[in-house]
């Protein structure tokens, strides 16, 4: 009987254990999420580097929490791992990653946009993450609706006339009067707040990790006030970003514009096939900013850090960035790649506009910012309170106080 | 320990001898039954590793500050203090209770009605109806949440369309606290009415018909028979369903997580306790805190189970 | 021959049934439509022609078949192990006397009260220590024996296995395990089939634990794959719906096969507890 007992257990276990690795080839395990790297390029790595095998694992679900819980587990992590814009949250555990400067990153530093490069360097000067793509922001708008409402519709003119958020809101009031409530200027309160902060150099923390949200240098309060103003003027469709509600509202023409990063282009085109040709892109009100964009890091547990570095260096070379841009639309972080011809390709979805030109300009003007280890938690608290202002009619001063109190509690945890 | 040693009834050396003889006898009976022990052992081994140990470990963890990455450090009662003073925790508690009330009461009510209807009818299609009513219960929660998401959608929802057909204004269900809670409750009701109805039906069928006949002879009306016979006979079963739906209701997670995300929706109306625990531990990586929230939830469930029990017990003493 | 009373009965039952079935109908309708159709207002209430397009896009964007096989593997492994261990223990508790039997059984019943969520964080830490995070082991092994099943089998075995039969078996020289395998198991079959369906459905639909444990998309179970399909950056809603339909169908088919017995067993189980 014991035999059967064990047989049953072993049978199950045998079904799940992985295969042992070959001695000669060096296997590099890579963790990334769907569309954070070009799958075609990853396949090409093994031809480029004979003797190296890439075990590329697409991690689904909440990538950040999966990565952090793996770090918590202490073992069994990958060699190379992709980070999103929450890279600063990992500065506190920078000892778990290789300092890329020690592996030769300084040589290629000049190839990259400086503000993007600096996002992967800790305040102590160790570099834990190499840039993948960037997320320069701009204003996406329905040129047809703008025109019908008597607003400028040419990207140049839109940029000149709607250069501040106040101008933009004013135009929104005019637009909504014209359509009598069936069209809203933009999507939701959190997006306005986030986009204003994305244009700023100082948000919640300085480089000593001190909370500066209440100082005048921070954009936190002004972003809050502007976001609340948009809500008070009734300019919001209250459709949450990256939800099916948003997709439906965009496709049904309920939303006339939104400020978003370059990677929203892909989402917009898929979400709103019924509005093809009507959209245009202009430089955003309030200035250029960056929202999102990811990185690659090498974990200390890796046996082959130098090989891993050569691989990621190759994947992120300017030429390969252009190829990635052409294949899956990831916007480059290498300066040379911004000069590529693909940036001038006209796009039918945007009525023949070459939106790459706008985003290139935006990417060059982004200011270097420091986010801080608790950015995501803090931002979550603030935007939750903002949503209550927009959706539940919560008093905005009360919400601000509640948000600050909760933030201060969070900082003490 | 200052406890006085109890006086032994026998001289010490004699007691020892008896003890060891008893022990030996016990060991040999146990050895004789070793196959039986082996046969039941897997459960106890597994429970020790995956049930008992985690409970003790979570007690330990709940006093630690641990983000999962850096070293654990002793945190005293800080986690509990944070929990009790965090408005979002209390929101999660009240959300959970509201959803539980919105769902359990209509659910059990409809289940009773369906059970009575099924019981009263002598139909050929009874099996067919039972399967139809039970089907929602085997459907995965993820799928249910996705489908109900399209019913309650603000922009393209079926429900808003139905409202417009009868001339009512459309509602942004998923942007409102109560709207999200209603949507979640409807999902729970839909999934569990049939299940509970089947259980009530079995209860109804187990009531001996002699009781009703006797009541008829005594001149009792149908309604009297219902309150004097049916309800008292069903009481243990109702208690069972109330307790299972309480335990289930306190653990709601999948419906809000799939419907409105880790924050419980833009207005936070779907932030239940388990979702809060999941977010704090596995998204924000406060593992020690997550363990503390687990204990908070345990106490809440225990309190409610006792309350339920008292309520049903109290009713029976009134009759 | 409808009397007024039976008319009301049938009307009530039919309305209830329609409400119960409607979401399935609605799921199928949406799965045959394009994303634009689903978002359109007023909604389209009848079937469209796009079912196969949608399904083929599901297949292209996630490894649906892989997730299906993963789920099938995990659910089957769990079910087989549960059947074996639970029936062995349940049979032993029902038909054998040994020191501490009563006491051990009370402990077993008490463990059913232990709250699962309490141990969510520590269980994860244990899995991490074993190096089981991201593997099916973490899904199968903790669930391979459970108190409910042992309880269920014990009740059934007490009622249905005559002690004379076991005595006869012993006289014929059957050992403990032979008695279990050759005498008890055939008699326990009805109870086992319920336990199998119950376990299989439960594991198939499990979401929170696999969501925490599984990392690599190629190891996802259907529920986690489905949720990630519905997650962030997905714009192809028709595909999500088609995927939902595909994930729901296997269980409904399974359920229809076992439904009649399953439903009465559920009721019987509740009344016994």
């Amino acid at each position: 009987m014991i035999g059967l007992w064990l047989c049953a257990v072993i049978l199950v276990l045998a079904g799940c254990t992985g295969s042992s690795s070959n001695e000669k080839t060096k296997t590099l395990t890579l963790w990334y999420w769907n569309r954070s790297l070009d799958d075609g390029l990853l396949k090409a790595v093994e031809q480029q580097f004979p003797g190296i095998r890439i075990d590329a694992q697409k991690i689904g679900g909440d990538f950040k929490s999966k990565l952090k819980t793996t770090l918590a587990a202490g073992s069994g992590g990958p060699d190379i791992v992709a980070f999103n814009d929450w890279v600063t949250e990992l500065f506190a555990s920078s000892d778990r990653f290789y300092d890329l400067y020690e592996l030769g990153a300084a040589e290629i530093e000049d190839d990259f946009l400086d503000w993007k490069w600096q996002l992967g360097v800790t305040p102590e000067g160790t570099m834990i993450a190499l840039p993948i793509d960037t997320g320069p922001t701009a204003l996406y708008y329905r040129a047809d609706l703008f025109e019908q409402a008597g607003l400028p519709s040419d990207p140049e003119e839109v940029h000149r006339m709607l250069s501040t958020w106040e101008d933009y809101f004013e135009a929104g009031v005019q637009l909504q009067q014209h359509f009598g409530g069936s069209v809203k200027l933009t999507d939701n309160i959190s997006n306005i707040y986030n986009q204003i902060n994305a244009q700023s150099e100082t948000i919640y923390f300085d480089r000593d990790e001190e909370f500066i949200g209440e100082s005048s240098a921070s954009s936190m309060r002004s972003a809050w006030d502007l976001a609340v103003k948009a809500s008070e003027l009734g300019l919001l469709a209250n459709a949450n970003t990256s939800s099916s509600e948003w997709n439906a509202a965009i496709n049904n023409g309920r939303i006339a514009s939104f400020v978003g990063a370059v990677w929203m282009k892909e989402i917009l085109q898929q979400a709103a096939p019924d509005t093809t040709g009507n959209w245009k892109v202009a430089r955003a009100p309030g200035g250029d900013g960056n929202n999102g964009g990811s990185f690659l890091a090498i974990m200390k547990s890796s046996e082959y850090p130098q090989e891993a570095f050569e691989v990621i260096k190759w994947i992120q070379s300017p030429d390969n960035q252009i190829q990635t841009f052409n294949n899956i639309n990831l916007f480059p972080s290498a300066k040379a790649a911004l000069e590529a011809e693909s940036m001038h390709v006209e796009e039918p979805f945007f009525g023949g506009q070459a939106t790459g030109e706008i985003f290139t300009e935006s990417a060059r003007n982004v200011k270097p910012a420091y986010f801080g280890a608790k950015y995501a938690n803090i931002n979550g608290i603030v935007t939750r309170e903002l949503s209550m202002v927009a959706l539940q009619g919560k008093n905005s001063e009360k919400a601000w106080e509640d948000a600050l109190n909760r933030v201060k509690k969070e900082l003490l945890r | 320990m200052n406890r006085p040693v109890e006086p032994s009834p026998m001289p010490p050396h004699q007691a020892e001898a008896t003890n060891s003889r008893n022990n030996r006898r016990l060991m040999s009976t146990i050895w004789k039954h070793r196959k039986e022990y082996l046969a039941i052992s897997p459960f106890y081994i597994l429970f020790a590793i995956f049930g008992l140990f985690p409970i003790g470990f979570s007690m330990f963890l709940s006093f630690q500050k641990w983000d999962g990455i850096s070293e654990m450090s002793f945190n005293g009662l800080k986690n509990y203090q944070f929990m009790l003073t965090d408005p979002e925790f209390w929101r999660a508690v009240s959300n959970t209770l509201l959803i539980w009330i919105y769902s359990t009461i209509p659910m059990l009510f409809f289940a009773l009605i369906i059970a009575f209807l099924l019981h009263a009818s002598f139909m050929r299609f009874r099996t067919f109806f039972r399967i139809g009513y039970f089907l929602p219960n085997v459907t995965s929660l993820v799928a249910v949440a996705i489908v109900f998401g399209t019913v309650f959608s603000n922009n393209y929802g079926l429900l808003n369309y139905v409202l417009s057909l009868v001339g009512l204004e459309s509602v942004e269900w998923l942007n409102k606290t109560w709207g999200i809670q209603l949507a979640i409750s409807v999902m729970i009701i839909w999934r569990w009415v049939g299940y509970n109805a089947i259980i009530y039906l079995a209860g109804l069928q187990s009531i001996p018909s002699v009781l009703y006949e006797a009541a008829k002879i005594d001149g009792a009306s149908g309604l009297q028979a219902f309150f004097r016979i049916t309800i008292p006979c069903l009481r243990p079963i109702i208690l069972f369903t109330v307790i299972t739906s309480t335990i289930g209701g306190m653990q709601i997670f999948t419906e809000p997580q799939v419907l409105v995300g880790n924050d419980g929706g833009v207005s936070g109306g779907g932030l239940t306790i388990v979702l809060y625990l999941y977010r704090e531990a596995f998204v924000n990586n406060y593992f020690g805190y997550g363990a503390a929230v687990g204990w908070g939830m345990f106490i809440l469930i225990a309190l409610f189970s006792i309350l339920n029990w008292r309520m049903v017990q109290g009713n029976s003493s009134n009759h | 021959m409808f009397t007024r009373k039976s008319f009301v009965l049938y009307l009530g039952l039919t309305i209830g049934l329609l409400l119960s079935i409607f979401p399935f109908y609605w799921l199928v309708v949406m799965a045959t439509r394009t994303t634009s159709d689903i978002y359109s207002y007023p909604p389209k209430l009848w079937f469209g022609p796009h079912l196969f397009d949608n399904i083929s896009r599901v297949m292209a964007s996630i490894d649906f078949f892989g997730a299906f096989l993963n789920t099938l593997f995990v659910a089957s492994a769990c079910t087989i192990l549960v059947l074996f261990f639970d029936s062995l223990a349940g049979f032993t508790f029902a038909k054998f006397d040994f020191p501490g039997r009563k006491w051990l059984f009370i402990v077993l019943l008490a463990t059913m009260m232990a709250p699962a969520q309490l141990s969510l964080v520590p269980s994860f830490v244990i899995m991490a220590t074993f190096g089981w995070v991201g593997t099916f082991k973490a899904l199968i092994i903790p669930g391979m024996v459970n108190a409910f099943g042992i309880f269920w089998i014990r009740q059934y075995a007490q009622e249905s296995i005559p002690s004379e039969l076991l005595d006869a078996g012993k006289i014929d020289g059957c050992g403990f395990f032979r008695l279990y395998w050759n005498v008890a198991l055939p008699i326990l079959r009805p109870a086992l089939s319920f336990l199998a369906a119950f376990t299989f459905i439960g594991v198939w639909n499990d979401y929170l634990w696999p969501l925490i444990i599984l990392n690599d998309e190629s190891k996802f179970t259907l529920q986690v794959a489905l949720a990630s399909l519905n997650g962030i950056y997905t714009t192809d809603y028709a595909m999500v719906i088609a995927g939902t339909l595909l994930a729901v169908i296997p269980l409904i088919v399974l359920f229809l096969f076992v439904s009649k017995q399953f439903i009465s067993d559920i009721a019987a189980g509740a009344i016994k507890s």
Side-chain angles (χ1 to χ4, degrees):
Chain A
M1 188 179 64
I2 306 171
L4 205 84
W5 212 106
L6 287 175
C7 271
V9 175
I10 289 167
L11 241 148
V12 170
L13 297 189
C16 346
T17 37
S19 57
S20 58
S21 60
N22 195 322
E23 290 272 322
K24 278 173 193 167
T25 54
K26 296 173 179 171
T27 300
L28 296 174
T29 308
L30 163 71
W31 273 24
Y32 69 124
W33 60 92
N34 197 21
R35 293 182 46 79
S36 64
L37 290 169
D38 182 357
D39 290 338
L41 203 57
L42 289 178
K43 289 208 179 81
V45 167
E46 292 178 13
Q47 287 147 27
Q48 184 72 23
F49 299 91
I52 285 182
R53 204 177 72 80
I54 289 275
D55 177 14
Q57 300 187 357
K58 265 187 198 174
I59 305 300
D62 192 338
F63 185 88
K64 180 171 74 176
S65 67
K66 295 280 178 197
L67 172 66
K68 283 192 170 181
T69 41
T70 303
L71 290 175
S75 61
D79 298 272
I80 306 171
V81 61
F83 293 163
N84 211 331
D85 53 351
W86 33 262
V87 55
T88 40
E89 287 180 43
L90 294 165
F91 282 179
S93 26
S94 57
D95 58 328
R96 303 289 297 273
F97 305 96
Y98 273 99
D99 181 356
L100 300 181
Y101 278 137
E102 285 173 11
L103 299 174
E107 281 170 39
I108 50 171
E109 183 162 357
D110 284 343
D111 295 347
F112 288 80
L113 290 165
D114 184 57
W115 62 265
K116 173 75 186 184
W117 183 273
Q118 295 305 332
L119 288 173
V121 181
T122 69
E124 293 78 37
T126 52
M127 181 189 186
I128 62 166
L130 183 78
I132 301 179
D133 64 324
T134 57
T137 59
L139 177 72
Y140 293 82
Y141 65 99
R142 285 278 300 269
D144 56 332
L145 300 182
F146 270 42
E147 197 176 339
Q148 285 167 38
L151 293 170
S153 62
D154 172 67
E156 280 294 317
E157 229 177 306
V158 168
H159 174 50
R160 208 173 52 245
M161 306 273 289
L162 312 184
S163 65
T164 68
W165 286 92
E166 282 87 352
D167 298 339
Y168 175 55
F169 295 163
E170 244 170 69
V173 173
Q174 186 185 331
L175 177 114
Q176 290 189 189
Q177 268 166 3
H178 179 82
F179 288 103
S182 64
V183 177
K184 295 284 184 182
L185 174 69
T186 189
D187 47 8
N188 63 69
I189 194 165
S190 304
N191 192 42
I192 294 186
Y193 176 76
N194 288 333
Q195 293 303 339
I196 295 171
N197 283 333
Q199 297 166 347
S200 155
E201 282 172 272
T202 39
I203 309 158
Y204 300 126
F205 297 96
D206 63 14
R207 289 185 81 86
D208 300 322
E209 287 286 325
E210 285 295 320
F211 179 67
I212 52 162
E214 286 172 290
S215 88
S216 57
S218 158
S219 60
M220 182 181 172
R221 180 73 212 216
S222 53
W224 173 285
D225 287 340
L226 281 168
V228 168
K229 189 177 175 196
S231 170
E232 282 166 353
L233 290 171
L235 302 174
L236 308 174
N238 292 332
N240 215 8
T241 312
S242 69
S243 68
S244 58
E245 294 297 331
W246 189 91
N247 299 343
I250 287 276
N251 194 37
N252 295 345
R254 285 228 313 134
I255 296 174
S257 69
F258 63 93
V259 175
V262 61
W263 42 265
M264 288 298 288
K265 205 163 82 176
E266 192 84 8
I267 295 172
L268 177 64
Q269 293 187 30
Q270 283 174 19
D274 297 356
T275 60
T276 303
N278 296 332
W279 290 87
K280 284 240 166 20
V281 174
R283 305 275 292 281
D288 299 308
N290 178 71
N291 180 216
S294 42
F295 299 86
L296 282 170
I298 300 169
M299 286 188 62
K300 268 279 163 66
S301 54
S302 171
E303 283 178 63
Y304 313 111
Q306 199 59 53
E307 288 83 351
F309 179 72
E310 295 307 321
V311 167
I312 64 174
K313 192 172 116 181
W314 180 78
I315 292 176
Q316 290 313 126
S317 72
D319 282 347
N320 281 334
Q321 287 202 21
I322 295 171
Q323 198 194 323
T324 305
F325 175 72
N326 294 340
N327 289 346
I328 62 166
N329 237 324
L330 290 191
F331 204 77
S333 55
K335 287 184 228 166
L338 294 178
E339 311 288 343
E341 273 174 38
S342 341
M343 295 297 159
H344 305 285
V345 171
E346 293 177 356
E347 293 148 90
F349 185 86
F350 295 95
Q353 186 190 6
T355 63
E357 293 168 1
I358 305 283
F359 288 111
T360 308
E361 204 50 45
S362 176
R364 288 192 177 114
N365 287 310
V366 175
K367 302 175 195 116
Y370 182 75
F371 289 92
K374 288 206 170 177
Y375 176 86
N377 289 6
I378 305 289
N379 205 52
I381 293 167
V382 179
T383 50
R384 286 202 287 277
E385 287 292 338
L386 268 178
S387 293
M388 291 209 228
V389 174
L391 303 173
Q392 320 252 69
K394 186 169 179 177
N395 177 284
S396 67
E397 275 313 305
K398 173 87 174 69
W400 171 257
E401 271 169 37
D402 286 353
L404 271 189
N405 286 336
R406 182 67 174 74
V407 164
K408 284 172 188 162
K409 269 188 79 172
E410 182 75 19
L411 294 174
L412 292 176
R413 278 175 107 175
Chain B
M1 288 279 171
N2 290 327
R3 211 161 58 101
V5 179
E6 278 180 36
S8 164
M10 285 182 260
H13 60 274
Q14 214 179 320
E16 245 165 59
T18 326
N19 270 349
S20 72
R21 209 177 316 134
N22 281 347
N23 280 349
R24 219 174 307 138
R25 203 179 309 146
L26 187 67
M27 287 314 285
S28 81
T29 26
I30 288 179
W31 180 245
K32 215 172 79 197
H33 292 287
R34 62 189 181 279
K35 285 176 179 163
E36 283 92 324
Y37 289 115
L38 191 67
I40 61 167
S41 63
F43 171 77
Y44 295 93
I45 296 169
L46 238 67
F47 183 73
I49 303 174
F50 299 113
L52 213 54
F53 177 70
I55 290 175
F57 189 44
S58 81
M59 187 46 105
F60 166 78
L61 263 182
S62 72
F63 297 112
Q64 304 288 320
K65 177 179 177 162
W66 189 39
D67 64 358
I69 303 171
S70 23
E71 293 285 301
M72 276 184 211
S73 64
F74 182 70
N75 205 13
L77 287 169
K78 280 224 184 98
N79 286 330
Y80 289 96
Q81 198 190 346
F82 187 93
M83 177 173 85
L84 295 177
T85 57
D86 184 16
E88 281 204 300
F89 171 74
W90 292 109
R91 252 191 92 116
V93 171
S94 87
N95 286 341
T96 309
L97 294 184
L98 284 173
I99 292 170
W100 174 68
I101 291 170
Y102 295 159
S103 59
T104 306
I105 293 171
M107 172 180 83
L108 297 182
F109 176 72
F110 288 130
L112 260 179
I113 291 185
I114 290 169
F116 278 117
L117 294 180
L118 281 173
H119 187 57
S121 54
F122 316 89
M123 357 174 244
R124 309 194 175 116
F125 305 118
R126 193 186 261 173
T127 313
F128 170 75
F129 273 101
R130 292 204 318 175
I131 293 174
Y133 279 119
F134 204 84
L135 205 53
N137 197 250
V138 298
T139 313
S140 87
L141 279 173
V142 178
V144 173
I146 291 174
V147 173
F148 277 77
T150 66
V151 172
F152 282 93
S153 159
N154 306 335
N155 282 296
Y156 56 92
L158 200 56
L159 195 58
N160 276 341
Y161 174 64
V162 173
L163 287 183
S164 76
L165 285 186
V166 294
L168 292 172
E169 289 252 332
S170 69
V171 178
E172 292 191 339
W173 300 98
L174 301 181
N175 281 349
K176 303 253 186 285
T177 305
W178 59 270
I180 292 176
Q181 290 169 351
L182 187 85
I184 294 169
S185 303
V186 168
M187 279 190 246
I188 299 170
I189 295 170
W190 179 76
R191 195 158 186 268
W192 291 98
V193 158
Y195 172 88
N196 286 298
I198 298 298
I199 290 175
Y200 289 150
L201 179 62
L204 287 174
Q205 285 166 340
S206 70
I207 301 174
S209 54
V210 190
L211 286 180
Y212 290 106
E213 282 155 22
K216 225 175 216 169
I217 292 167
D218 290 348
S221 72
L223 210 63
Q224 274 173 323
F226 176 77
F227 281 111
R228 293 285 160 86
I229 299 172
T230 315
I231 292 290
C233 286
L234 280 184
R235 176 162 293 121
I237 294 166
I238 294 177
L239 178 66
F240 171 82
T241 55
V242 169
I243 287 182
T244 43
S245 24
T246 306
I247 295 174
M250 296 296 133
Q251 304 185 355
I252 297 294
F253 168 78
T254 310
E255 294 93 335
Q257 204 258 356
V258 177
L259 186 71
V260 284
N262 288 343
D263 280 329
V266 274
S267 63
L271 187 69
T272 60
I273 305 180
V274 182
L275 186 54
Y276 177 78
L277 190 162
Y278 170 79
R279 190 188 76 188
E280 292 298 311
F282 293 98
V283 180
N284 292 342
N285 293 84
Y286 294 114
F287 285 102
Y289 183 64
V293 175
W295 280 101
M297 198 175 88
F298 171 66
I299 290 167
L300 203 77
I301 292 179
L303 278 180
F304 263 79
S305 301
I306 294 168
L307 202 74
N308 277 334
W309 200 66
R310 275 283 165 80
M311 241 155 56
V312 180
Q313 288 289 305
N315 277 352
S316 71
S317 61
N318 289 342
H319 280 274
Chain C
M1 279 215 319
F2 267 2
T3 61
R4 213 180 137 122
K5 189 184 153 202
S6 76
F7 176 74
V8 173
L9 278 179
Y10 275 90
L11 187 72
L13 282 174
T14 309
I15 291 174
L17 188 70
L18 288 180
L19 286 174
S20 187
I21 298 295
F22 179 77
F24 295 105
Y25 166 78
W26 184 229
L27 176 61
V28 178
V29 167
M30 286 189 298
T32 61
R33 290 282 177 180
T34 64
T35 303
S36 291
D37 287 345
I38 296 174
Y39 289 155
S40 70
Y41 193 89
K44 302 218 163 39
L45 297 169
W46 191 245
F47 306 101
H50 299 284
L51 180 63
F52 292 102
D53 303 351
N54 292 338
I55 288 178
S56 67
R57 285 204 312 287
V58 174
M59 301 298 178
S61 62
I62 53 167
D63 183 7
F64 186 87
F65 199 62
F68 176 81
L69 287 182
N70 290 342
T71 320
L72 194 65
F73 172 72
V74 172
S76 311
C78 255
T79 306
I80 291 169
L81 291 168
V82 160
L83 287 185
F84 177 69
F85 289 122
D86 281 6
S87 63
L88 190 61
F91 166 65
T92 309
F93 270 121
K95 287 292 162 188
F96 291 87
D97 203 8
F98 48 88
R101 174 173 86 151
K102 197 177 161 195
W103 186 79
L104 283 168
F105 194 67
I106 290 171
V107 170
L108 181 127
L109 290 183
T111 64
M112 285 206 251
M113 307 286 169
Q117 269 69 25
L118 191 57
S119 45
L120 198 58
V121 175
S123 297
F124 176 80
V125 178
I126 292 171
M127 293 307 165
T129 335
F130 290 174
W132 289 0
V133 171
T135 69
F136 293 148
K137 274 180 273 192
L139 303 186
I140 295 169
I141 291 177
M144 69 184 189
V145 50
N146 60 55
F148 167 76
I150 296 176
F151 170 79
W152 171 255
I153 298 286
R154 189 194 86 125
Q155 300 296 95
Y156 193 88
Q158 268 179 340
E159 287 164 16
S160 59
I161 302 176
S163 295
E164 298 79 43
L165 203 61
L166 293 179
D167 292 339
K170 273 178 204 160
I171 291 166
D172 287 352
C174 284
F176 176 79
F177 190 71
R178 286 280 301 279
L179 284 179
Y180 160 74
W181 192 258
N182 291 343
V183 181
L185 268 192
I187 301 177
L188 291 174
R189 190 169 290 156
L192 287 175
S193 68
F194 166 72
L195 187 60
F198 186 79
T199 311
F200 192 87
I201 292 173
V203 179
W204 186 281
N205 287 338
D206 201 7
Y207 175 61
L208 175 54
W209 185 240
L211 174 72
I212 291 171
I213 285 296
L214 299 175
N215 290 331
D216 191 349
E217 276 182 6
S218 67
K219 289 231 163 112
F220 273 11
T221 59
L222 269 182
Q223 306 308 323
V224 183
L226 193 57
S228 77
L229 199 62
N230 185 40
I232 205 155
Y233 304 147
T234 310
T235 45
D236 191 349
Y237 211 58
M239 174 193 78
V240 174
I241 298 287
T244 308
L245 180 65
L246 288 182
V248 162
I249 286 174
L251 260 204
I252 291 187
V253 171
L254 173 78
F255 172 72
L256 290 180
F257 271 109
V258 300
S259 56
K260 204 173 162 186
Q261 193 55 41
F262 186 76
I263 290 174
S264 44
D265 283 342
I266 284 263
I271 289 189
K272 272 179 200 156
S273 329

